[in-house]
């Protein structure tokens, strides 16, 4: 009596990769907070001040402490 189902699985061609769906829009990202912007501005100002002090110390010829 012949079997109705094959003993092995049949190979499937053209397998598809499972990918995450692409985001449709970026509206889900929250807007930046004001405190984050203020902290970023303070960081940039501190780095600029440090660079100016280093440039002044190098041009004045005084040894750094």
């Amino acid at each position: 009596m012949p079997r109705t189902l094959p003993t092995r699985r049949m190979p499937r061609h053209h397998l598809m990769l499972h990918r995450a769906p692409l985001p449709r829009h970026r509206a889900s990202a929250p807007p930046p907070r004001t405190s984050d912007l203020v902290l970023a501005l303070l960081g940039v100002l501190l780095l600029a001040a440090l660079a100016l002090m280093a440039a002044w110390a190098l041009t004045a010829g005084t040894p750094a402490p």
Side-chain angles (χ1 to χ4, degrees):
M1 185 167 172
R3 294 185 138 214
T4 56
L5 296 174
T7 56
R8 294 187 322 157
R9 284 186 160 189
M10 296 298 290
R12 285 194 283 166
H13 300 289
H14 307 294
L15 296 176
M16 295 184 62
L17 297 174
H18 295 287
R19 294 182 187 160
L22 295 174
R24 293 183 184 174
H25 55 356
R26 294 184 176 232
S28 62
R33 296 183 297 188
T34 306
S35 60
D36 291 340
L37 295 176
V38 169
L39 285 175
L41 181 62
L42 283 174
V44 168
L45 285 176
L46 286 174
L47 284 174
L50 182 65
L52 284 174
M53 287 184 353
W56 179 76
L58 288 174
T59 56
T62 58

